[in-house]
């Protein structure tokens, strides 16, 4: 280690320059994580969530996002030659949200290739093996400057279980994408347990996108009180115990639905998002 510090041109650079290099190589990204499991190949024990690797390969998938943006952004996508995924939505021109392309890449990732697919950038983790000094300096950047994104509670539970105590304390930014209509909200409530929250005391920034196809008449009758009367909030309320400094919240309806079809309007979704933001920030 001493020899590396005195002979390596990289490690002889000033510490502040090296830190910028570590961030450029390993940090500042939004990383979607997914733990791939199948019911007929899964060894599941609720006490420790033990899984078999799928088909002998690593069950972990990650995608470095290339189309990040505000969680409530919705843009029109023109598909000149619709393929399978566009065909199943019966739309050549349709509204899409950020990260739609990332979701499709997960669906297309069923081969035994490495965990990065299509043209997405990969994480250059091998750099951490160069030397012990480089690992010591660069390893914290991986946890403090990246945003880790999860679209299901099981993946998040598995992620937290397999991190060291120090890694969990270093995590600063998380993103959750929840579907309040799919019936899997209990997995999120389990994932956001009190023990998990207490292990993430370094968390400062939370981004939350909630898909909820609520009818307008239900919102008109309940308003923001719907957050008080639903078990969907059980896990999220625990996050308010963390010293969060920023919380971005967006409620969305599915990209093939229209507000004109009786679903709640954007102004109402934004109002609900502001109420949930206040709960998370405990303000």
């Amino acid at each position: 280690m001493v020899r590396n510090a005195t002979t390596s041109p990289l490690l002889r650079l000033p510490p502040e320059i090296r830190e910028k290099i570590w961030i450029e190589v390993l940090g500042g990204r939004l990383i979607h994580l997914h733990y791939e499991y199948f019911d007929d190949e899964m060894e599941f024990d609720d006490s420790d969530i033990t899984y078999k690797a799928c088909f002998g390969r690593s069950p972990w998938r990650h995608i470095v996002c290339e189309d990040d943006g505000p969680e409530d952004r919705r843009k029109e996508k023109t598909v000149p030659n619709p393929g399978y995924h566009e065909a199943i939505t019966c739309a050549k021109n349709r509204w899409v949200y950020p990260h739609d392309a990332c979701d499709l890449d997960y669906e297309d990732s069923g081969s035994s290739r490495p965990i990065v697919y299509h043209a997405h950038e990969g994480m250059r983790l091998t750099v951490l093996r160069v030397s012990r000094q480089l690992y010591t300096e660069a390893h914290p950047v991986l946890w403090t400057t990246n945003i880790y994104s999860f679209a299901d509670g099981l993946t998040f539970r598995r992620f937290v279980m397999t991190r060291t105590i120090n890694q969990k304390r270093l995590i600063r930014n998380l993103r959750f994408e929840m579907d309040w209509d799919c019936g899997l909200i209990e997995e999120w409530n389990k994932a956001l347990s009190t023990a998990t929250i207490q292990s993430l005391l370094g968390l400062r920034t939370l981004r939350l996108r909630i898909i909820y196809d609520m009818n307008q008449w239900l919102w008109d009758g309940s308003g923001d009180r719907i957050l008080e009367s639903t078990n969907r909030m059980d896990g999220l309320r625990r996050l308010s115990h963390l010293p969060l400094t920023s919380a971005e919240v967006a409620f969305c309806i599915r990209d093939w639905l229209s507000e004109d079809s009786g679903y709640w309007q954007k102004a109402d979704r934004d109002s609900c998002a502001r109420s949930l933001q206040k709960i998370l920030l405990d303000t």
Side-chain angles (χ1 to χ4, degrees):
M1 187 170 177
V2 175
R3 182 172 178 272
N4 285 333
T6 57
T7 61
S8 168
L10 175 61
L11 296 179
R12 289 170 61 190
L13 291 171
E16 59 273 17
I17 300 299
R18 294 202 304 270
E19 182 179 9
K20 292 181 179 179
I21 293 174
W22 309 149
I23 293 175
E24 179 65 27
V25 174
L26 293 171
R29 294 164 173 81
L30 172 64
I31 305 169
H32 298 286
L33 289 168
H34 178 66
Y35 193 86
E36 190 176 76
Y37 52 87
F38 298 101
D39 291 342
D40 58 348
E41 297 169 352
M42 183 169 63
E43 294 180 347
F44 180 79
D45 181 275
D46 195 54
S47 63
D48 64 3
I49 319 179
T50 303
Y51 299 102
K52 286 183 179 178
C54 303
F55 300 114
R57 68 179 188 270
S58 170
W60 281 106
R61 302 287 178 267
H62 84 261
I63 290 178
V64 179
C65 185
E66 296 177 348
D67 189 28
D68 195 14
E71 295 297 335
D72 63 349
R73 183 187 66 178
R74 200 181 186 197
K75 63 182 181 179
E76 189 171 14
K77 174 186 178 183
T78 301
V79 184
N81 297 299
Y84 170 74
H85 294 292
E86 288 77 14
I88 62 175
T89 64
C90 303
K92 184 174 182 179
N93 296 287
R94 64 188 182 97
W95 293 98
V96 295
Y97 288 106
H99 318 298
D100 273 18
C102 301
D103 293 340
L104 292 184
D105 280 357
Y106 279 141
E107 295 175 20
D108 290 340
S109 63
S111 69
S112 58
R113 296 183 301 167
I115 60 178
V116 181
Y117 300 93
H118 303 300
H120 288 271
E121 175 189 7
M123 294 299 295
R124 305 181 183 93
L125 300 182
T126 53
V127 70
L128 295 173
R129 303 176 184 175
V130 171
S131 74
R132 187 178 301 174
Q133 179 182 346
L134 194 153
Y135 179 89
T136 301
E137 292 185 7
H139 177 258
V141 169
L142 192 65
W143 306 106
T144 58
T145 68
N146 288 307
I147 304 171
Y148 293 95
S149 174
F150 303 88
D152 70 273
L154 283 174
T155 293
F156 180 62
R157 288 174 70 192
R158 184 62 177 172
F159 174 80
V160 171
M161 283 182 52
T162 53
R163 299 309 99 204
T164 67
I165 293 175
N166 185 53
Q167 287 171 346
K168 286 184 280 191
R169 289 175 178 171
L170 287 172
I171 293 174
R172 296 291 181 268
N173 314 290
L174 290 176
R175 176 185 180 271
F176 298 144
E177 183 170 325
M178 299 180 175
D179 190 333
W180 278 15
D181 293 307
C182 70
L184 297 177
I185 195 61
E186 273 307 311
E187 292 300 341
W188 275 113
N189 288 337
K190 291 179 182 179
L192 297 172
S193 65
T194 300
T196 294
I197 301 305
Q198 291 175 345
S199 71
L200 298 172
L201 294 179
L203 187 66
R204 294 296 179 268
T205 301
L206 177 68
R207 290 172 53 178
L208 182 61
R209 179 189 171 209
I210 299 174
I211 302 170
Y212 191 24
D213 303 333
M214 181 163 54
N215 290 314
Q216 186 65 46
W217 62 266
L218 181 58
W219 170 262
D220 291 340
S222 302
D224 292 350
R225 295 191 307 277
I226 196 144
L227 297 177
E228 304 170 4
S229 60
T230 177
N231 67 335
R232 299 178 178 92
M233 284 290 298
D234 291 351
L236 290 175
R237 285 194 184 93
R238 298 184 192 110
L239 287 168
S240 65
H241 298 299
L242 292 173
L244 295 175
T245 59
S246 174
E248 179 185 354
V249 182
F251 280 91
C252 308
I253 59 176
R254 293 171 210 284
D255 55 10
W256 61 82
L257 298 178
S258 169
E259 296 173 352
D260 298 333
S261 301
Y263 296 98
W264 59 334
Q265 304 295 299
K266 187 178 187 307
D268 299 326
R269 300 197 299 270
D270 290 346
S271 174
C272 194
R274 288 192 294 271
S275 296
L276 178 50
Q277 183 185 50
K278 290 180 181 179
I279 293 173
L280 293 170
L281 296 177
D282 196 22
T283 59

